[in-house]
Amino acid sequence: QVQLVESGGGLVQAGGSLRLSCAASGSISRINDMGWYRQAPGKQRELVASISVDSSTNYADSLKGRFTISRDNAKNTVYLQMNSLKPEDTAVYYCTANVQIIWARRDYWGQGTQVTVSS
């Protein structure tokens, strides 16, 4: 039905940058909110940022100023630009999208992409 495929993760040194992408595909009528979550080892999954269909954004307070979320509605893609990365940003990053298929709406998740920041 609907797939979310993330890319762009990897290993980076502290202070570096990465750009994550997440493309949605399938029988999509409309994509509403999109977002990124992350989960570090031994910790709960937490919200990183979200973006509405009209590009209103919401960020975790601790990440404001370093991370930027954006989307391309024509490509059904959401991005996360991560700057000034710190070792504590190491986690698996998951994208999510609230997808409407005809009249039904539900949340979908990507498989996750590993981000490792070395000190």
Side-chain angles (χ1 to χ4, degrees):
Q1 287 192 3
V2 174
Q3 283 191 318
L4 300 182
V5 179
E6 298 124 334
S7 60
L11 174 65
V12 64
Q13 288 189 331
S17 298
L18 283 176
R19 188 189 193 212
L20 306 183
S21 299
C22 173
S25 63
S27 303
I28 298 169
S29 300
R30 171 187 169 97
I31 300 179
N32 300 300
D33 289 357
M34 304 183 81
W36 291 93
Y37 283 72
R38 69 183 184 183
Q39 188 167 19
K43 295 188 176 181
Q44 289 188 332
R45 191 172 296 190
E46 63 177 357
L47 173 69
V48 174
S50 63
I51 185 167
S52 67
V53 67
D54 62 357
S55 294
S56 296
T57 58
N58 178 51
Y59 294 91
D61 288 341
S62 60
L63 301 177
K64 288 179 181 177
R66 294 195 298 122
F67 288 15
T68 302
I69 189 170
S70 61
R71 65 189 286 172
D72 184 334
N73 291 331
K75 296 181 179 179
N76 289 337
T77 299
V78 62
Y79 306 96
L80 185 68
Q81 178 67 43
M82 305 184 293
N83 298 327
S84 303
L85 283 162
K86 304 175 181 180
E88 52 263 43
D89 294 319
T90 296
V92 178
Y93 284 71
Y94 299 90
C95 73
T96 182
N98 182 264
V99 178
Q100 184 167 337
I101 301 174
I102 307 179
W103 302 113
R105 293 174 59 172
R106 60 159 284 190
D107 292 328
Y108 290 86
W109 290 82
Q111 79 285 355
T113 186
Q114 177 69 48
V115 171
T116 303
V117 184
S118 63
S119 57

